[in-house]
Amino acid sequence: MLYLLFSTLLACIYASGVEQIALNYDHLSTDIVITFAAYDTSDTSAIVLYGNDANNLTLSVEAKGSTYTLGSYTSPMLYKATIENLEAGNHVYYYSVGSDGLGYSEVMSFKSHPGVGVDDVTFYLIGDLGQTYHSEDTLDELSQCESLLKTPSGGIISMGDLSYANGDEPLWDSFGRMKQSTASRIPMMTTLGNHEWFDDQRYAFTAYLARYDNPLVNGERELYYSFDSGLVHWVMVAGYCSEMKSTHTQPCLEEGSPQMDWLQKDLASVDRTITPWVFVTFHQPYVNSNTAHSMSSEGYPMQEAIEDTLNEYKVDAVFSGHVHAYERSYPVYQYERKEGAPIYITIGDGGNHEGLATGWVEPQPEWSAFRQASYGFGELRVMNSTHAYWSWHQNGDLVPEVADEVYFVKNTETGYQGLKAVGSESFTGTPVFAQSSRGEKARASNDAAKLASSRTGA
């Protein structure tokens, strides 16, 4: 009967022992997953209180906790709860997490899933976030943009390389605390990157699986999954797996592998009358003209494994990270511009500690539409079945705020669902730091990160 005593909980809110609160969508548009942590590991059960009134949280659901151990590190108690039977359509719900022993968090709010088959939903995309002040800027400015939306919100899509813990497990906890102000309000859907892959020497993704609770695949927890939101079918591909022992191979998507079998069936089953747009995400790009990661060694295995499948099923766009810069391609197949092929967007510029990747292949390839090394995030507004608007936002220490924007337009003549080529002139930009103390701080920080990375070979 904890919910009856809610008014008495407010006095102990700020003494709460819970932290790292985050949200993500589940496989049903009526459900939301809430995760959080507590350093008091004596109880594997906690509570999520929720409702439509911030002052009267009359509903509750149990959160179940567990810990994991890697080396000498044991995690906090990591809780997961699923709130079911919510009303889709971005309805506002209020919630608080904790228990009598832990205390309760402050009352927070979130918007429910926007619904499936719904026009005019906006998504936010980030990659290679890390945990620097650039990372904080990215989240703060993304959150501000989302709060001003006049259209339904579809949450955040992350391209992987999350905490950059690299085996230093307490960094997962500091990452969870850093992103809480955003992730406790805006659901974030994630895929994994190479820094999650080698976080565990066994390539078991122990921390990622313990801390994130993505939608199931055929009733099982996998590193890959898909979900529907608005007019979009999102496919979250795992470019790394326990079978991978080198980034120059791609066993995760071999023909006949569990993930490739699932991917082909998943793409074949999309009902384009409900979700006419299909977007795929995975961490490592293969359509990219930056020199930081070799497309011939790291990109080629991914391209060999997946490009034909994406082209066959008329995927509209592919989003990746890994390269710490931004690049947008024209519709492209086999490094040739081809109307109706996917557009590829690399957005690995969330703010990680390794700095920006400023080296580019010259001359700029014909398939590359826009490229620039700056920190920021993407905004994708899927307006209807034929038009979507994409914009790339630079963080506030750079100008202009929106550096790249374009409409994606489907060619529906004779029923063909490919994208038309967009734009006609390629462009390579350079970061312009604002003439302010913040801009100068960003410039100095980036220069120091690039120097450190060059010394370590990162």
Side-chain angles (χ1 to χ4, degrees):
M1 302 296 287
L2 284 172
Y3 57 88
L4 296 177
L5 302 176
F6 177 70
S7 60
T8 67
L9 299 175
L10 296 178
C12 62
I13 277 175
Y14 296 106
S16 169
V18 296
E19 60 173 41
Q20 304 180 47
I21 303 166
L23 307 164
N24 64 268
Y25 299 121
D26 206 356
H27 65 290
L28 295 177
S29 62
T30 53
D31 298 350
I32 198 87
V33 175
I34 300 176
T35 59
F36 57 97
Y39 282 95
D40 180 348
T41 59
S42 60
D43 196 345
T44 60
S45 180
I47 295 290
V48 177
L49 302 168
Y50 68 99
N52 295 309
D53 184 343
N55 297 310
N56 191 24
L57 304 185
T58 58
L59 302 171
S60 65
V61 64
E62 182 184 10
K64 296 180 179 180
S66 62
T67 63
Y68 72 90
T69 298
L70 276 179
S72 61
Y73 170 86
T74 298
S75 74
M77 187 65 69
L78 301 171
Y79 293 97
K80 298 176 180 178
T82 301
I83 301 178
E84 300 177 337
N85 300 316
L86 298 173
E87 185 177 0
N90 266 192
H91 291 276
V92 176
Y93 288 87
Y94 298 90
Y95 74 106
S96 175
V97 304
S99 68
D100 284 346
L102 297 171
Y104 284 79
S105 71
E106 63 180 313
V107 177
M108 298 164 288
S109 68
F110 65 86
K111 289 180 282 191
S112 66
H113 190 289
V116 178
V118 178
D119 285 358
D120 216 2
V121 175
T122 298
F123 304 89
Y124 291 90
L125 289 91
I126 55 175
D128 299 69
L129 186 59
Q131 41 190 315
T132 67
Y133 87 87
H134 294 298
S135 315
E136 294 174 349
D137 283 349
T138 297
L139 290 177
D140 288 346
E141 293 177 26
L142 182 158
S143 185
Q144 183 178 8
C145 268
E146 197 271 353
S147 69
L148 298 174
L149 275 180
K150 304 299 183 184
T151 62
S153 171
I156 300 170
I157 312 294
S158 169
M159 307 307 118
D161 275 7
L162 302 166
S163 71
Y164 283 76
N166 301 340
D168 187 358
E169 294 305 297
L171 288 178
W172 279 106
D173 299 312
S174 57
F175 179 72
R177 290 189 291 269
M178 181 202 74
K179 69 182 177 71
Q180 176 176 304
S181 62
T182 298
S184 63
R185 190 178 68 81
I186 309 172
M188 181 184 296
M189 306 301 287
T190 62
T191 188
L192 48 86
N194 55 301
H195 286 268
E196 283 73 53
W197 172 63
F198 57 65
D199 181 63
D200 181 343
Q201 292 182 351
R202 300 168 300 164
Y203 307 118
F205 303 93
T206 302
Y208 179 77
L209 290 170
R211 294 170 184 272
Y212 292 85
D213 197 22
N214 298 323
L216 301 179
V217 174
N218 299 322
E220 300 293 333
R221 180 73 191 279
E222 304 289 357
L223 296 173
Y224 49 87
Y225 61 98
S226 64
F227 68 102
D228 294 331
S229 185
L231 297 174
V232 179
H233 181 70
W234 286 98
V235 185
M236 312 294 279
V237 169
Y240 301 86
C241 57
S242 58
E243 292 80 14
M244 178 183 278
K245 307 305 178 187
S246 165
T247 58
H248 297 170
T249 64
Q250 188 42 269
C252 319
L253 288 157
E254 287 179 345
E255 195 66 34
S257 66
Q259 184 176 194
M260 180 53 74
D261 286 347
W262 165 82
L263 176 64
Q264 292 170 341
K265 291 175 183 176
D266 183 85
L267 291 173
S269 69
V270 176
D271 185 345
R272 295 265 186 161
T273 66
I274 299 173
T275 53
W277 297 85
V278 177
F279 298 136
V280 171
T281 74
F282 46 81
H283 183 66
Q284 65 272 52
Y286 56 81
V287 176
N288 187 273
S289 63
N290 196 283
T291 59
H293 293 281
S294 170
M295 294 301 101
S296 62
S297 57
E298 287 189 67
Y300 179 73
M302 192 69 177
Q303 181 184 25
E304 281 289 287
I306 201 172
E307 186 178 29
D308 284 344
T309 296
L310 303 185
N311 196 62
E312 176 185 355
Y313 290 102
K314 296 182 173 58
V315 167
D316 295 299
V318 176
F319 298 92
S320 298
H322 199 45
V323 174
H324 301 157
Y326 169 77
E327 185 167 15
R328 171 176 58 83
S329 80
Y330 297 105
V332 59
Y333 175 70
Q334 294 289 315
Y335 300 118
E336 297 286 341
R337 288 176 61 169
K338 176 186 175 184
E339 186 170 316
I343 288 172
Y344 290 81
I345 294 178
T346 301
I347 189 161
D349 55 350
N352 69 89
H353 70 276
E354 295 173 353
L356 296 168
T358 56
W360 299 104
V361 172
E362 297 294 351
Q364 184 171 2
E366 184 178 297
W367 48 258
S368 174
F370 186 104
R371 57 186 191 175
Q372 183 169 315
S374 301
Y375 295 111
F377 61 91
E379 183 176 35
L380 177 61
R381 180 182 176 185
V382 181
M383 303 164 71
N384 54 42
S385 62
T386 59
H387 288 71
Y389 171 73
W390 167 260
S391 58
W392 174 55
H393 295 243
Q394 297 188 106
N395 288 352
D397 44 28
L398 296 147
V399 292
E401 176 192 350
V402 176
D404 182 37
E405 54 185 331
V406 68
Y407 280 95
F408 298 158
V409 181
K410 281 180 174 289
N411 184 353
T412 57
E413 297 173 6
T414 67
Y416 183 58
Q417 288 294 309
L419 288 184
K420 290 181 179 178
V422 288
S424 58
E425 295 184 5
S426 298
F427 178 79
T428 300
T430 56
V432 178
F433 292 94
Q435 297 298 310
S436 64
S437 58
R438 178 175 170 177
E440 289 305 312
K441 179 181 178 183
R443 184 199 304 275
S445 173
N446 187 59
D447 289 346
K450 287 194 297 183
L451 180 62
S453 293
S454 67
R455 287 174 174 170
T456 61

